[in-house]
Amino acid sequence: MTKIKGLIEDISGAIRVTKKREEAFKNAKDENLYVDPINQVARALHPSPFLVKVIKIEDVSITSRMFTFQAVNNTLPIFQAGNYVSIRVKIGNTVTSRPYSISSAPYEARGENGFFSITVRRGEDGTGFVSNYLYDHLKIQDTLEVEMPFGHFYFESLRDSKDIVGIAGGSGITPFYSMAKEIAHGTLDYNLTILYGSLSHLDIILEKELDEIERKCDRVKVIHVLSDENAKLNPEDLKGYISRDVIKKYSIDQDPKNGKTTYFICGPLPMYKYIKGELDGLNVPKRRIRMEVFGTDKDVSKIEGFPIEVKNEQYKITVVRGIKEDVIDAYANEPIIVALERHGILIRSLCRSGECGACRCKVLEGEFFIPKDVDYRRLADKRFNYIHTCSCYPLSDMKIKITIL
Ligand SMILES: Cc1cc2nc3c(=O)[nH]c(=O)nc-3n(C[C@H](O)[C@H](O)[C@H](O)COP(=O)(O)OP(=O)(O)OC[C@H]3O[C@@H](n4cnc5c(N)ncnc54)[C@H](O)[C@@H]3O)c2cc1C
């Protein structure tokens, strides 16, 4: 408690303090010496979208290119091997984004000349809206806007064992390449056996680069499992698919049920479904399985619960942003986020797989469909009618309220 010394002492004390303050202001330097370490860490971990420029482009398979970036203004944010970044692009009238796993290692992003890479696989027949754009048009020195690294697909020593079997399909190899590099550098402490499914050697992404890591580091092993009947096999390669027998063979003690192996899976949706069946068949407990998100089903009309009769319907969505209202066309068979982006309405998104919630918005009116597999909404979101627009399809005219960007 402050002791009152008496009126005169208090008044003269206040005058002395005021004088000292004025003196301090007069002598103060122009630069801001105030450092806020908590905000500094928060900003480093969760930066606003930032600009990067392309510094290197390499072909890493006949259909895939690795793009390496450096930050334009600031240093690169911290990330974990296995994280992804969301790349923003403008193609025609569409402003959109796609997530790409970071395929370089976290240690390479540190320091003044730090960099990070993504590896983009060209889309096949009629697909590849963004991937083909990046693959065909991105040049050295081009700049792009990128969202902070994100995702839950990384090794966590409190949770995961030090014996990891990574199961990859197609471009799902990219986060494992980042992990393998970090292990070889000595900054991640676990053993990684990658079972990598491809059609043939021609389709393997980062093959040469993976071979090199395997040669340098005995904690990383890569087994290619090739499904094309005519695929030529190297001595260690396996033919067929990544079946439960293959998974068992490369698990610690060949005991997937009771052993310690943690399984990390990254690949296209059909592969997830198949591998999940194989792991269930081996009675692997759920706590030892980690799955990366990898988009939504290409054809929503084939998903259980979707009312097939509205498959080709077109609806109107009224989009409320503050006091502004726009009415846009949307199709029953495309996620609401795609309809927004086709009309040039910017909405934040990271995973585009229903998981992260960055594209969350409130439904004011209307019916919609969310496939069970990608419905990651919280209980409160369901109760108060919030949706993740990347995994939600309109089933009637709708009215939604989105955040102004
Ligand atoms: C966590 C994560 C990590 C990933 N990492 C990688 C990786 O390392 N390498 C890699 O190659 N891929 C990766 N992917 C996949 C990648 O994000 C893209 O899905 C992939 O490149 C295909 O996108 P696309 O636009 O080329 O394909 P498309 O199949 O053409 O399009 C996909 C979506 O875009 C929509 N679309 C089509 N036309 C338009 C339009 N005019 N306007 C707006 N939207 C439109 C489609 O409706 C569809 O929903 C990753 C995905 C996830 C979720």
Side-chain angles (χ1 to χ4, degrees), residues 84 94 96 98-101 119-121 126-132 171 174 292-295 298 334-335 338 341-342 351 353:
Y84 61 83
T94 301
T96 187
R98 292 288 182 277
Y100 290 96
S101 298
T119 300
V120 179
R121 183 183 211 176
T127 67
F129 181 60
V130 173
S131 53
N132 293 1
S171 60
T174 50
E292 177 59 300
V293 287
F294 229 81
K298 291 267 172 269
E334 72 181 3
V338 175
E341 291 174 344
R342 265 194 298 107
C351 74
S353 309

PDB file of all heavy atoms in Angstrom, residues 84 94 96 98-101 119-121 126-132 171 174 292-295 298 334-335 338 341-342 351 353, ligand 1:
ATOM      1  N   TYR A  84       3.219 -28.290 -44.774  1.00  0.00           N
ATOM      2  CA  TYR A  84       2.965 -27.819 -46.142  1.00  0.00           C
ATOM      3  C   TYR A  84       2.783 -26.309 -46.146  1.00  0.00           C
ATOM      4  O   TYR A  84       2.572 -25.702 -45.093  1.00  0.00           O
ATOM      5  CB  TYR A  84       1.735 -28.504 -46.745  1.00  0.00           C
ATOM      6  CG  TYR A  84       0.437 -28.254 -46.014  1.00  0.00           C
ATOM      7  CD1 TYR A  84      -0.317 -27.113 -46.242  1.00  0.00           C
ATOM      8  CD2 TYR A  84      -0.042 -29.174 -45.086  1.00  0.00           C
ATOM      9  CE1 TYR A  84      -1.510 -26.888 -45.575  1.00  0.00           C
ATOM     10  CE2 TYR A  84      -1.237 -28.960 -44.404  1.00  0.00           C
ATOM     11  CZ  TYR A  84      -1.967 -27.816 -44.653  1.00  0.00           C
ATOM     12  OH  TYR A  84      -3.135 -27.585 -43.990  1.00  0.00           O
ATOM     13  N   THR A  94      -9.731 -16.152 -61.665  1.00  0.00           N
ATOM     14  CA  THR A  94      -9.754 -16.955 -60.439  1.00  0.00           C
ATOM     15  C   THR A  94      -8.570 -16.634 -59.539  1.00  0.00           C
ATOM     16  O   THR A  94      -7.429 -16.659 -60.002  1.00  0.00           O
ATOM     17  CB  THR A  94      -9.718 -18.457 -60.805  1.00  0.00           C
ATOM     18  OG1 THR A  94     -10.841 -18.739 -61.619  1.00  0.00           O
ATOM     19  CG2 THR A  94      -9.722 -19.339 -59.576  1.00  0.00           C
ATOM     20  N   THR A  96      -6.925 -18.279 -56.432  1.00  0.00           N
ATOM     21  CA  THR A  96      -7.056 -19.529 -55.687  1.00  0.00           C
ATOM     22  C   THR A  96      -5.747 -19.897 -55.005  1.00  0.00           C
ATOM     23  O   THR A  96      -4.752 -19.172 -55.106  1.00  0.00           O
ATOM     24  CB  THR A  96      -7.546 -20.660 -56.634  1.00  0.00           C
ATOM     25  OG1 THR A  96      -7.820 -21.825 -55.858  1.00  0.00           O
ATOM     26  CG2 THR A  96      -6.540 -21.014 -57.707  1.00  0.00           C
ATOM     27  N   ARG A  98      -3.330 -23.551 -53.467  1.00  0.00           N
ATOM     28  CA  ARG A  98      -3.205 -25.001 -53.322  1.00  0.00           C
ATOM     29  C   ARG A  98      -2.137 -25.289 -52.283  1.00  0.00           C
ATOM     30  O   ARG A  98      -1.103 -24.612 -52.245  1.00  0.00           O
ATOM     31  CB  ARG A  98      -2.752 -25.669 -54.622  1.00  0.00           C
ATOM     32  CG  ARG A  98      -3.739 -25.636 -55.763  1.00  0.00           C
ATOM     33  CD  ARG A  98      -4.924 -26.585 -55.530  1.00  0.00           C
ATOM     34  NE  ARG A  98      -5.817 -26.551 -56.669  1.00  0.00           N
ATOM     35  CZ  ARG A  98      -6.770 -25.637 -56.859  1.00  0.00           C
ATOM     36  NH1 ARG A  98      -6.974 -24.684 -55.974  1.00  0.00           N
ATOM     37  NH2 ARG A  98      -7.531 -25.687 -57.936  1.00  0.00           N
ATOM     38  N   PRO A  99      -2.356 -26.327 -51.470  1.00  0.00           N
ATOM     39  CA  PRO A  99      -1.303 -26.714 -50.532  1.00  0.00           C
ATOM     40  C   PRO A  99      -0.260 -27.600 -51.212  1.00  0.00           C
ATOM     41  O   PRO A  99      -0.618 -28.453 -52.024  1.00  0.00           O
ATOM     42  CB  PRO A  99      -2.071 -27.522 -49.476  1.00  0.00           C
ATOM     43  CG  PRO A  99      -3.311 -28.008 -50.162  1.00  0.00           C
ATOM     44  CD  PRO A  99      -3.583 -27.110 -51.331  1.00  0.00           C
ATOM     45  N   TYR A 100       0.987 -27.380 -50.904  1.00  0.00           N
ATOM     46  CA  TYR A 100       2.071 -28.253 -51.366  1.00  0.00           C
ATOM     47  C   TYR A 100       2.994 -28.541 -50.191  1.00  0.00           C
ATOM     48  O   TYR A 100       3.414 -27.607 -49.491  1.00  0.00           O
ATOM     49  CB  TYR A 100       2.868 -27.602 -52.519  1.00  0.00           C
ATOM     50  CG  TYR A 100       2.051 -27.518 -53.793  1.00  0.00           C
ATOM     51  CD1 TYR A 100       1.370 -26.358 -54.127  1.00  0.00           C
ATOM     52  CD2 TYR A 100       1.922 -28.627 -54.627  1.00  0.00           C
ATOM     53  CE1 TYR A 100       0.581 -26.295 -55.278  1.00  0.00           C
ATOM     54  CE2 TYR A 100       1.140 -28.572 -55.783  1.00  0.00           C
ATOM     55  CZ  TYR A 100       0.471 -27.413 -56.093  1.00  0.00           C
ATOM     56  OH  TYR A 100      -0.311 -27.364 -57.217  1.00  0.00           O
ATOM     57  N   SER A 101       3.305 -29.813 -49.990  1.00  0.00           N
ATOM     58  CA  SER A 101       4.226 -30.170 -48.902  1.00  0.00           C
ATOM     59  C   SER A 101       5.584 -29.553 -49.186  1.00  0.00           C
ATOM     60  O   SER A 101       6.000 -29.490 -50.346  1.00  0.00           O
ATOM     61  CB  SER A 101       4.390 -31.685 -48.819  1.00  0.00           C
ATOM     62  OG  SER A 101       3.160 -32.274 -48.524  1.00  0.00           O
ATOM     63  N   THR A 119       7.537 -29.513 -54.569  1.00  0.00           N
ATOM     64  CA  THR A 119       7.658 -30.323 -55.779  1.00  0.00           C
ATOM     65  C   THR A 119       6.265 -30.533 -56.340  1.00  0.00           C
ATOM     66  O   THR A 119       5.390 -31.059 -55.655  1.00  0.00           O
ATOM     67  CB  THR A 119       8.333 -31.669 -55.429  1.00  0.00           C
ATOM     68  OG1 THR A 119       9.615 -31.373 -54.890  1.00  0.00           O
ATOM     69  CG2 THR A 119       8.480 -32.552 -56.651  1.00  0.00           C
ATOM     70  N   VAL A 120       6.067 -30.072 -57.564  1.00  0.00           N
ATOM     71  CA  VAL A 120       4.724 -30.071 -58.153  1.00  0.00           C
ATOM     72  C   VAL A 120       4.641 -31.120 -59.251  1.00  0.00           C
ATOM     73  O   VAL A 120       5.479 -31.168 -60.144  1.00  0.00           O
ATOM     74  CB  VAL A 120       4.399 -28.685 -58.758  1.00  0.00           C
ATOM     75  CG1 VAL A 120       3.022 -28.681 -59.404  1.00  0.00           C
ATOM     76  CG2 VAL A 120       4.486 -27.608 -57.685  1.00  0.00           C
ATOM     77  N   ARG A 121       3.624 -31.951 -59.132  1.00  0.00           N
ATOM     78  CA  ARG A 121       3.400 -32.958 -60.173  1.00  0.00           C
ATOM     79  C   ARG A 121       2.323 -32.443 -61.123  1.00  0.00           C
ATOM     80  O   ARG A 121       1.279 -31.971 -60.690  1.00  0.00           O
ATOM     81  CB  ARG A 121       2.929 -34.252 -59.526  1.00  0.00           C
ATOM     82  CG  ARG A 121       2.747 -35.331 -60.516  1.00  0.00           C
ATOM     83  CD  ARG A 121       2.223 -36.571 -59.870  1.00  0.00           C
ATOM     84  NE  ARG A 121       2.736 -37.712 -60.601  1.00  0.00           N
ATOM     85  CZ  ARG A 121       2.533 -38.954 -60.256  1.00  0.00           C
ATOM     86  NH1 ARG A 121       1.882 -39.225 -59.157  1.00  0.00           N
ATOM     87  NH2 ARG A 121       2.989 -39.932 -60.978  1.00  0.00           N
ATOM     88  N   GLY A 126      -7.298 -33.469 -68.221  1.00  0.00           N
ATOM     89  CA  GLY A 126      -8.369 -32.552 -67.822  1.00  0.00           C
ATOM     90  C   GLY A 126      -8.230 -32.019 -66.401  1.00  0.00           C
ATOM     91  O   GLY A 126      -9.015 -31.186 -65.981  1.00  0.00           O
ATOM     92  N   THR A 127      -7.250 -32.465 -65.638  1.00  0.00           N
ATOM     93  CA  THR A 127      -7.038 -31.916 -64.282  1.00  0.00           C
ATOM     94  C   THR A 127      -5.776 -31.044 -64.327  1.00  0.00           C
ATOM     95  O   THR A 127      -5.161 -30.900 -65.379  1.00  0.00           O
ATOM     96  CB  THR A 127      -6.847 -33.025 -63.235  1.00  0.00           C
ATOM     97  OG1 THR A 127      -5.613 -33.680 -63.526  1.00  0.00           O
ATOM     98  CG2 THR A 127      -7.999 -34.005 -63.240  1.00  0.00           C
ATOM     99  N   GLY A 128      -5.420 -30.502 -63.185  1.00  0.00           N
ATOM    100  CA  GLY A 128      -4.155 -29.761 -63.136  1.00  0.00           C
ATOM    101  C   GLY A 128      -4.328 -28.272 -63.302  1.00  0.00           C
ATOM    102  O   GLY A 128      -3.452 -27.605 -63.853  1.00  0.00           O
ATOM    103  N   PHE A 129      -5.443 -27.745 -62.811  1.00  0.00           N
ATOM    104  CA  PHE A 129      -5.719 -26.320 -62.971  1.00  0.00           C
ATOM    105  C   PHE A 129      -4.552 -25.475 -62.441  1.00  0.00           C
ATOM    106  O   PHE A 129      -4.014 -24.624 -63.143  1.00  0.00           O
ATOM    107  CB  PHE A 129      -7.034 -25.983 -62.247  1.00  0.00           C
ATOM    108  CG  PHE A 129      -7.442 -24.553 -62.359  1.00  0.00           C
ATOM    109  CD1 PHE A 129      -7.679 -23.978 -63.586  1.00  0.00           C
ATOM    110  CD2 PHE A 129      -7.603 -23.772 -61.215  1.00  0.00           C
ATOM    111  CE1 PHE A 129      -8.061 -22.645 -63.688  1.00  0.00           C
ATOM    112  CE2 PHE A 129      -7.978 -22.447 -61.307  1.00  0.00           C
ATOM    113  CZ  PHE A 129      -8.211 -21.881 -62.544  1.00  0.00           C
ATOM    114  N   VAL A 130      -4.132 -25.741 -61.239  1.00  0.00           N
ATOM    115  CA  VAL A 130      -3.026 -24.958 -60.659  1.00  0.00           C
ATOM    116  C   VAL A 130      -1.672 -25.631 -60.909  1.00  0.00           C
ATOM    117  O   VAL A 130      -0.702 -24.965 -61.261  1.00  0.00           O
ATOM    118  CB  VAL A 130      -3.245 -24.737 -59.147  1.00  0.00           C
ATOM    119  CG1 VAL A 130      -2.028 -24.091 -58.506  1.00  0.00           C
ATOM    120  CG2 VAL A 130      -4.475 -23.866 -58.914  1.00  0.00           C
ATOM    121  N   SER A 131      -1.628 -26.962 -60.747  1.00  0.00           N
ATOM    122  CA  SER A 131      -0.319 -27.621 -60.886  1.00  0.00           C
ATOM    123  C   SER A 131       0.251 -27.396 -62.294  1.00  0.00           C
ATOM    124  O   SER A 131       1.438 -27.110 -62.437  1.00  0.00           O
ATOM    125  CB  SER A 131      -0.407 -29.110 -60.546  1.00  0.00           C
ATOM    126  OG  SER A 131      -1.419 -29.720 -61.294  1.00  0.00           O
ATOM    127  N   ASN A 132      -0.591 -27.475 -63.328  1.00  0.00           N
ATOM    128  CA  ASN A 132      -0.081 -27.244 -64.691  1.00  0.00           C
ATOM    129  C   ASN A 132       0.351 -25.790 -64.877  1.00  0.00           C
ATOM    130  O   ASN A 132       1.327 -25.507 -65.570  1.00  0.00           O
ATOM    131  CB  ASN A 132      -1.134 -27.597 -65.735  1.00  0.00           C
ATOM    132  CG  ASN A 132      -1.414 -29.081 -65.744  1.00  0.00           C
ATOM    133  OD1 ASN A 132      -0.828 -29.825 -64.965  1.00  0.00           O
ATOM    134  ND2 ASN A 132      -2.310 -29.516 -66.593  1.00  0.00           N
ATOM    135  N   SER A 171       2.933 -38.101 -55.610  1.00  0.00           N
ATOM    136  CA  SER A 171       3.567 -36.905 -55.047  1.00  0.00           C
ATOM    137  C   SER A 171       3.535 -36.906 -53.520  1.00  0.00           C
ATOM    138  O   SER A 171       4.072 -35.997 -52.884  1.00  0.00           O
ATOM    139  CB  SER A 171       2.908 -35.637 -55.598  1.00  0.00           C
ATOM    140  OG  SER A 171       1.547 -35.630 -55.255  1.00  0.00           O
ATOM    141  N   THR A 174       6.755 -36.239 -51.151  1.00  0.00           N
ATOM    142  CA  THR A 174       7.437 -34.971 -50.875  1.00  0.00           C
ATOM    143  C   THR A 174       7.687 -34.697 -49.376  1.00  0.00           C
ATOM    144  O   THR A 174       8.799 -34.317 -49.028  1.00  0.00           O
ATOM    145  CB  THR A 174       6.688 -33.790 -51.532  1.00  0.00           C
ATOM    146  OG1 THR A 174       5.319 -33.868 -51.181  1.00  0.00           O
ATOM    147  CG2 THR A 174       6.828 -33.828 -53.040  1.00  0.00           C
ATOM    148  N   GLU A 292      -1.540 -37.850 -43.659  1.00  0.00           N
ATOM    149  CA  GLU A 292      -1.584 -36.486 -44.179  1.00  0.00           C
ATOM    150  C   GLU A 292      -2.909 -36.304 -44.902  1.00  0.00           C
ATOM    151  O   GLU A 292      -3.441 -37.262 -45.472  1.00  0.00           O
ATOM    152  CB  GLU A 292      -0.411 -36.273 -45.155  1.00  0.00           C
ATOM    153  CG  GLU A 292      -0.363 -34.920 -45.845  1.00  0.00           C
ATOM    154  CD  GLU A 292      -0.278 -33.743 -44.888  1.00  0.00           C
ATOM    155  OE1 GLU A 292      -1.204 -33.576 -44.067  1.00  0.00           O
ATOM    156  OE2 GLU A 292       0.688 -32.973 -44.979  1.00  0.00           O
ATOM    157  N   VAL A 293      -3.442 -35.075 -44.869  1.00  0.00           N
ATOM    158  CA  VAL A 293      -4.651 -34.824 -45.658  1.00  0.00           C
ATOM    159  C   VAL A 293      -4.236 -34.674 -47.123  1.00  0.00           C
ATOM    160  O   VAL A 293      -3.132 -34.222 -47.409  1.00  0.00           O
ATOM    161  CB  VAL A 293      -5.370 -33.533 -45.187  1.00  0.00           C
ATOM    162  CG1 VAL A 293      -6.035 -33.767 -43.857  1.00  0.00           C
ATOM    163  CG2 VAL A 293      -4.427 -32.340 -45.125  1.00  0.00           C
ATOM    164  N   PHE A 294      -5.068 -35.071 -48.054  1.00  0.00           N
ATOM    165  CA  PHE A 294      -4.671 -34.953 -49.449  1.00  0.00           C
ATOM    166  C   PHE A 294      -5.858 -34.618 -50.327  1.00  0.00           C
ATOM    167  O   PHE A 294      -6.184 -35.318 -51.273  1.00  0.00           O
ATOM    168  CB  PHE A 294      -3.927 -36.198 -49.940  1.00  0.00           C
ATOM    169  CG  PHE A 294      -2.652 -35.846 -50.660  1.00  0.00           C
ATOM    170  CD1 PHE A 294      -1.498 -35.559 -49.932  1.00  0.00           C
ATOM    171  CD2 PHE A 294      -2.609 -35.742 -52.033  1.00  0.00           C
ATOM    172  CE1 PHE A 294      -0.321 -35.203 -50.574  1.00  0.00           C
ATOM    173  CE2 PHE A 294      -1.438 -35.382 -52.685  1.00  0.00           C
ATOM    174  CZ  PHE A 294      -0.300 -35.105 -51.957  1.00  0.00           C
ATOM    175  N   GLY A 295      -6.544 -33.524 -49.992  1.00  0.00           N
ATOM    176  CA  GLY A 295      -7.638 -33.056 -50.833  1.00  0.00           C
ATOM    177  C   GLY A 295      -8.955 -33.755 -50.561  1.00  0.00           C
ATOM    178  O   GLY A 295      -9.079 -34.549 -49.631  1.00  0.00           O
ATOM    179  N   LYS A 298     -12.498 -36.434 -55.965  1.00  0.00           N
ATOM    180  CA  LYS A 298     -12.681 -35.710 -57.240  1.00  0.00           C
ATOM    181  C   LYS A 298     -14.156 -35.673 -57.639  1.00  0.00           C
ATOM    182  O   LYS A 298     -14.639 -34.691 -58.180  1.00  0.00           O
ATOM    183  CB  LYS A 298     -11.882 -36.391 -58.366  1.00  0.00           C
ATOM    184  CG  LYS A 298     -10.381 -36.255 -58.195  1.00  0.00           C
ATOM    185  CD  LYS A 298      -9.827 -35.035 -58.952  1.00  0.00           C
ATOM    186  CE  LYS A 298      -8.384 -34.769 -58.653  1.00  0.00           C
ATOM    187  NZ  LYS A 298      -8.112 -33.875 -57.561  1.00  0.00           N
ATOM    188  N   GLU A 334     -19.372 -29.081 -56.978  1.00  0.00           N
ATOM    189  CA  GLU A 334     -18.076 -28.446 -56.702  1.00  0.00           C
ATOM    190  C   GLU A 334     -18.100 -27.815 -55.307  1.00  0.00           C
ATOM    191  O   GLU A 334     -19.139 -27.297 -54.866  1.00  0.00           O
ATOM    192  CB  GLU A 334     -17.710 -27.399 -57.765  1.00  0.00           C
ATOM    193  CG  GLU A 334     -18.526 -26.142 -57.682  1.00  0.00           C
ATOM    194  CD  GLU A 334     -18.199 -25.092 -58.743  1.00  0.00           C
ATOM    195  OE1 GLU A 334     -17.356 -25.312 -59.624  1.00  0.00           O
ATOM    196  OE2 GLU A 334     -18.821 -24.016 -58.662  1.00  0.00           O
ATOM    197  N   PRO A 335     -16.959 -27.890 -54.593  1.00  0.00           N
ATOM    198  CA  PRO A 335     -16.936 -27.293 -53.259  1.00  0.00           C
ATOM    199  C   PRO A 335     -17.240 -25.792 -53.330  1.00  0.00           C
ATOM    200  O   PRO A 335     -16.883 -25.138 -54.325  1.00  0.00           O
ATOM    201  CB  PRO A 335     -15.491 -27.520 -52.783  1.00  0.00           C
ATOM    202  CG  PRO A 335     -14.924 -28.548 -53.680  1.00  0.00           C
ATOM    203  CD  PRO A 335     -15.661 -28.477 -54.975  1.00  0.00           C
ATOM    204  N   VAL A 338     -14.584 -23.298 -54.440  1.00  0.00           N
ATOM    205  CA  VAL A 338     -14.259 -23.189 -55.870  1.00  0.00           C
ATOM    206  C   VAL A 338     -15.191 -22.177 -56.534  1.00  0.00           C
ATOM    207  O   VAL A 338     -14.760 -21.349 -57.353  1.00  0.00           O
ATOM    208  CB  VAL A 338     -14.323 -24.576 -56.558  1.00  0.00           C
ATOM    209  CG1 VAL A 338     -14.098 -24.445 -58.061  1.00  0.00           C
ATOM    210  CG2 VAL A 338     -13.291 -25.515 -55.965  1.00  0.00           C
ATOM    211  N   GLU A 341     -14.031 -18.722 -55.591  1.00  0.00           N
ATOM    212  CA  GLU A 341     -12.789 -18.347 -56.293  1.00  0.00           C
ATOM    213  C   GLU A 341     -13.035 -18.087 -57.778  1.00  0.00           C
ATOM    214  O   GLU A 341     -12.415 -17.192 -58.364  1.00  0.00           O
ATOM    215  CB  GLU A 341     -11.747 -19.456 -56.106  1.00  0.00           C
ATOM    216  CG  GLU A 341     -11.250 -19.536 -54.676  1.00  0.00           C
ATOM    217  CD  GLU A 341     -10.329 -20.708 -54.421  1.00  0.00           C
ATOM    218  OE1 GLU A 341     -10.296 -21.635 -55.247  1.00  0.00           O
ATOM    219  OE2 GLU A 341      -9.637 -20.700 -53.403  1.00  0.00           O
ATOM    220  N   ARG A 342     -13.941 -18.862 -58.390  1.00  0.00           N
ATOM    221  CA  ARG A 342     -14.244 -18.626 -59.816  1.00  0.00           C
ATOM    222  C   ARG A 342     -14.773 -17.212 -60.029  1.00  0.00           C
ATOM    223  O   ARG A 342     -14.611 -16.628 -61.078  1.00  0.00           O
ATOM    224  CB  ARG A 342     -15.287 -19.636 -60.302  1.00  0.00           C
ATOM    225  CG  ARG A 342     -14.673 -20.858 -60.961  1.00  0.00           C
ATOM    226  CD  ARG A 342     -15.683 -21.691 -61.736  1.00  0.00           C
ATOM    227  NE  ARG A 342     -16.740 -22.228 -60.911  1.00  0.00           N
ATOM    228  CZ  ARG A 342     -17.987 -21.794 -60.908  1.00  0.00           C
ATOM    229  NH1 ARG A 342     -18.336 -20.802 -61.695  1.00  0.00           N
ATOM    230  NH2 ARG A 342     -18.896 -22.332 -60.120  1.00  0.00           N
ATOM    231  N   CYS A 351      -5.482 -26.051 -46.143  1.00  0.00           N
ATOM    232  CA  CYS A 351      -5.375 -27.477 -46.499  1.00  0.00           C
ATOM    233  C   CYS A 351      -6.237 -27.885 -47.684  1.00  0.00           C
ATOM    234  O   CYS A 351      -5.935 -28.841 -48.371  1.00  0.00           O
ATOM    235  CB  CYS A 351      -5.726 -28.336 -45.292  1.00  0.00           C
ATOM    236  SG  CYS A 351      -7.500 -28.363 -44.923  1.00  0.00           S
ATOM    237  N   SER A 353      -8.795 -29.508 -47.628  1.00  0.00           N
ATOM    238  CA  SER A 353      -9.161 -30.902 -47.384  1.00  0.00           C
ATOM    239  C   SER A 353     -10.162 -31.002 -46.239  1.00  0.00           C
ATOM    240  O   SER A 353     -10.368 -32.084 -45.694  1.00  0.00           O
ATOM    241  CB  SER A 353      -7.910 -31.707 -47.021  1.00  0.00           C
ATOM    242  OG  SER A 353      -6.898 -31.502 -47.970  1.00  0.00           O
TER     243      SER A 353
HETATM  244  C1  LIG B   1      -1.441 -31.225 -47.527  1.00  0.00           C
HETATM  245  C2  LIG B   1      -1.285 -31.385 -49.022  1.00  0.00           C
HETATM  246  C3  LIG B   1      -0.019 -31.460 -49.565  1.00  0.00           C
HETATM  247  C4  LIG B   1       0.136 -31.572 -50.952  1.00  0.00           C
HETATM  248  N1  LIG B   1       1.392 -31.659 -51.466  1.00  0.00           N
HETATM  249  C5  LIG B   1       1.559 -31.805 -52.809  1.00  0.00           C
HETATM  250  C6  LIG B   1       2.877 -31.913 -53.371  1.00  0.00           C
HETATM  251  O1  LIG B   1       3.880 -31.910 -52.660  1.00  0.00           O
HETATM  252  N2  LIG B   1       2.986 -32.007 -54.720  1.00  0.00           N
HETATM  253  C7  LIG B   1       1.873 -32.038 -55.557  1.00  0.00           C
HETATM  254  O2  LIG B   1       2.047 -32.121 -56.783  1.00  0.00           O
HETATM  255  N3  LIG B   1       0.624 -31.947 -55.036  1.00  0.00           N
HETATM  256  C8  LIG B   1       0.437 -31.818 -53.702  1.00  0.00           C
HETATM  257  N4  LIG B   1      -0.828 -31.710 -53.187  1.00  0.00           N
HETATM  258  C9  LIG B   1      -1.977 -31.625 -54.112  1.00  0.00           C
HETATM  259  C10 LIG B   1      -2.141 -30.180 -54.579  1.00  0.00           C
HETATM  260  O3  LIG B   1      -2.559 -29.356 -53.514  1.00  0.00           O
HETATM  261  C11 LIG B   1      -3.203 -30.033 -55.656  1.00  0.00           C
HETATM  262  O4  LIG B   1      -4.374 -30.639 -55.235  1.00  0.00           O
HETATM  263  C12 LIG B   1      -2.769 -30.664 -56.932  1.00  0.00           C
HETATM  264  O5  LIG B   1      -1.646 -29.963 -57.432  1.00  0.00           O
HETATM  265  C13 LIG B   1      -3.898 -30.618 -57.956  1.00  0.00           C
HETATM  266  O6  LIG B   1      -4.416 -29.316 -58.050  1.00  0.00           O
HETATM  267  P1  LIG B   1      -4.843 -28.746 -59.448  1.00  0.00           P
HETATM  268  O7  LIG B   1      -5.500 -27.429 -59.304  1.00  0.00           O
HETATM  269  O8  LIG B   1      -3.682 -28.785 -60.345  1.00  0.00           O
HETATM  270  O9  LIG B   1      -5.862 -29.901 -59.883  1.00  0.00           O
HETATM  271  P2  LIG B   1      -7.332 -29.910 -60.433  1.00  0.00           P
HETATM  272  O10 LIG B   1      -7.784 -31.318 -60.242  1.00  0.00           O
HETATM  273  O11 LIG B   1      -7.415 -29.330 -61.792  1.00  0.00           O
HETATM  274  O12 LIG B   1      -8.138 -28.954 -59.525  1.00  0.00           O
HETATM  275  C14 LIG B   1      -8.353 -29.238 -58.213  1.00  0.00           C
HETATM  276  C15 LIG B   1      -9.512 -28.366 -57.768  1.00  0.00           C
HETATM  277  O13 LIG B   1      -9.526 -27.101 -58.452  1.00  0.00           O
HETATM  278  C16 LIG B   1     -10.805 -26.816 -58.892  1.00  0.00           C
HETATM  279  N5  LIG B   1     -10.837 -25.991 -60.105  1.00  0.00           N
HETATM  280  C17 LIG B   1     -10.768 -26.399 -61.361  1.00  0.00           C
HETATM  281  N6  LIG B   1     -10.945 -25.371 -62.192  1.00  0.00           N
HETATM  282  C18 LIG B   1     -11.093 -24.260 -61.416  1.00  0.00           C
HETATM  283  C19 LIG B   1     -11.307 -22.863 -61.673  1.00  0.00           C
HETATM  284  N7  LIG B   1     -11.445 -22.369 -62.903  1.00  0.00           N
HETATM  285  N8  LIG B   1     -11.385 -22.021 -60.624  1.00  0.00           N
HETATM  286  C20 LIG B   1     -11.271 -22.472 -59.370  1.00  0.00           C
HETATM  287  N9  LIG B   1     -11.066 -23.771 -59.064  1.00  0.00           N
HETATM  288  C21 LIG B   1     -10.997 -24.653 -60.078  1.00  0.00           C
HETATM  289  C22 LIG B   1     -11.415 -28.171 -59.161  1.00  0.00           C
HETATM  290  O14 LIG B   1     -12.821 -28.092 -59.045  1.00  0.00           O
HETATM  291  C23 LIG B   1     -10.847 -29.000 -58.070  1.00  0.00           C
HETATM  292  O15 LIG B   1     -11.601 -28.907 -56.889  1.00  0.00           O
HETATM  293  C24 LIG B   1      -1.007 -31.606 -51.800  1.00  0.00           C
HETATM  294  C25 LIG B   1      -2.284 -31.557 -51.245  1.00  0.00           C
HETATM  295  C26 LIG B   1      -2.431 -31.437 -49.864  1.00  0.00           C
HETATM  296  C27 LIG B   1      -3.821 -31.364 -49.282  1.00  0.00           C
END
